[in-house]
Amino acid sequence: IPVAAFVGRMVRAKGADIFMRAIEILTQHEVRVQPLMCGECEEQFSGGLRPNQVKAWCQDYAGVWRDHVPDIREVWQNADIFVLPARG
């Protein structure tokens, strides 16, 4: 199963919610990917996602959430798909 990785703050401005919705759509169409989200939740900001939201979503879609990643190279070495759904 290919790993689709998103790295960034868990806020709507960075597209974290768009990534989550895309995985939901793929799942509905029986396309299997392993979602990997890496980044801190910043719920204090407008559009910030709460940790419990990200954890629940990962549980529903067999995803993995890693908070802050000190060495991003590790993420990209294990990812098959780079996802950058940021809003313009």
Side-chain angles (χ1 to χ4, degrees), residues 2 6 8 18 23 30 36 39 42 44 51 56-57 66 70 78 80:
F6 166 82
I18 295 170
I23 295 297
E30 298 181 10
L36 171 61
E42 296 188 5
Q44 71 273 23
W57 178 84
R66 295 178 57 198
N78 295 304
D80 299 296

Side-chain angles (χ1 to χ4, degrees), residues 36-76:
L36 171 61
M37 300 181 79
C38 301
E40 297 179 53
C41 283
E42 296 188 5
E43 59 188 309
Q44 71 273 23
F45 295 108
S46 175
L49 302 178
R50 296 184 315 275
N52 63 341
Q53 287 176 292
V54 178
K55 288 177 186 175
W57 178 84
C58 283
Q59 185 175 15
D60 290 345
Y61 293 95
V64 174
W65 173 41
R66 295 178 57 198
D67 201 357
H68 175 75
V69 177
D71 188 352
I72 199 70
R73 292 176 294 182
E74 174 190 338
V75 174
W76 300 136

Side-chain angles (χ1 to χ4, degrees), residues 19-38:
F19 176 62
M20 293 164 65
R21 180 65 185 133
I23 295 297
E24 291 170 6
I25 292 168
L26 289 171
T27 300
Q28 290 169 359
H29 288 90
E30 298 181 10
V31 176
R32 296 181 65 195
V33 295
Q34 168 72 49
L36 171 61
M37 300 181 79
C38 301

